[in-house]
Amino acid sequence: MKTWFITGTSRGFGREWTQAALERGDRVAATARNPDSLNDLVEQFGDQILPLHLDVTDQAANFAAVQAAHKHFGQLDVIVNNAGYGLFGAIEEVSEAEARAQIETNLFGALWVTQAALPYLRSQGSGHILQVSSIGGIGAFPMLGLYHASKWGLEGFSEALSQEVAPFGIKVTIIEPGGFSTDWSGSSAVHATPIADYDSVRNARATRNADVKISDPTASSAAILKLVDAENPPLRLLLGTFATQIVPHIYEQRLKVWTEWQDVARAIDQ
């Protein structure tokens, strides 16, 4: 039996993974802005689930929630930083408040939960931290610049974290989904006030996205359960057909350009 702490469990990946863990007999501290959304799971699974109200942008609340989960269950095995949303808008369109809110939720929220959980994981000499990033943490696309900033930041600190905590028996995996039919681009998304000059870029992006393979978030649960049960889990795990198709292309293009310009890069040392 594993004990999970999962943020953003009211819908999407968080909801699916919470239910999958409960169905196999694990215990879950499930956080949400509206814990009433978990009432059906509480009725079905009883003491296996601990619903907790949490706004991940509140640093103190994150520490309190992790402490409450550990006190209730006595241990923490899997930490899933899933809470987040998409901010759509060109760089010029995004307001300061929108940019700060995006970073506070997607980046700092995961940082605070991670910091709160680490003392417990270090003490027990084990644990697995899952950071839900995106293919947008590897490559960048127009109209999502601040979202990418949040996910690239998450990927950076998580890769460093994996090296820092390995001596304590703690594992870190960055989850990088492609297109999934979650609410990420639906009602949970925020859209900056548009500037008409960017409409052509916006429309071109929408046209390209029409051909993207969209995966079912329910189908991701089996992969996540296999991941947390692995003796040697990877630092990064792509999810979905689209992710496995586009990410190699992103790296191929980078390597191509780096190779084309390596003489310029090396010239400074001559």
Side-chain angles (χ1 to χ4, degrees), residues 193-240:
T193 301
I195 296 173
D197 285 353
Y198 290 102
D199 285 349
S200 61
V201 180
R202 211 177 336 269
N203 293 335
R205 176 184 175 276
T207 300
R208 287 194 299 271
N209 285 353
D211 297 326
V212 171
K213 166 68 176 177
I214 302 299
S215 301
D216 181 0
T218 304
S220 67
S221 296
I224 296 304
L225 294 180
K226 185 174 182 179
L227 174 69
V228 300
D229 289 340
E231 184 175 349
N232 295 301
L235 172 62
R236 288 181 167 84
L237 176 67
L238 297 174
L239 281 186

Side-chain angles (χ1 to χ4, degrees), residues 59-78:
Q59 181 185 26
N62 283 309
F63 277 77
V66 171
Q67 182 181 45
H70 186 271
K71 182 177 180 180
H72 183 82
F73 287 125
Q75 69 182 66
L76 295 171
D77 301 303
V78 182

Side-chain angles (χ1 to χ4, degrees), residues 250-263:
I250 290 171
Y251 279 104
E252 287 167 4
Q253 288 298 109
R254 288 177 182 171
L255 288 169
K256 179 176 180 293
V257 173
W258 287 332
T259 300
E260 290 174 351
W261 285 83
Q262 66 181 354
D263 290 344

Side-chain angles (χ1 to χ4, degrees), residues 30-134:
T31 80
R33 286 176 178 264
N34 177 20
D36 288 343
S37 63
L38 303 169
N39 285 347
D40 60 322
L41 295 182
V42 174
E43 291 178 8
Q44 183 177 358
F45 295 102
D47 293 341
Q48 278 181 251
I49 181 171
L50 174 66
L52 294 168
H53 173 267
L54 180 61
D55 175 352
V56 297
T57 65
D58 184 333
Q59 181 185 26
N62 283 309
F63 277 77
V66 171
Q67 182 181 45
H70 186 271
K71 182 177 180 180
H72 183 82
F73 287 125
Q75 69 182 66
L76 295 171
D77 301 303
V78 182
I79 309 298
V80 184
N81 281 307
N82 167 70
Y85 67 94
L87 171 59
F88 292 79
I91 294 299
E92 187 180 353
E93 295 171 339
V94 174
S95 70
E96 177 183 355
E98 290 167 337
R100 289 185 181 278
Q102 178 79 133
I103 299 298
E104 287 287 348
T105 300
N106 292 8
L107 178 60
F108 281 106
L111 175 61
W112 306 143
V113 170
T114 299
Q115 288 184 336
L118 283 173
Y120 299 112
L121 304 187
R122 282 192 292 104
S123 177
Q124 66 194 27
S126 65
H128 194 173
I129 300 172
L130 274 55
Q131 310 284 41
V132 181
S133 180
S134 162

Side-chain angles (χ1 to χ4, degrees), residues 170-192:
I170 302 169
K171 301 162 185 175
V172 178
T173 298
I174 305 167
I175 310 296
E176 297 164 330
F180 278 82
S181 55
T182 64
D183 194 52
W184 173 79
S185 60
S187 61
S188 66
V190 173
H191 294 263

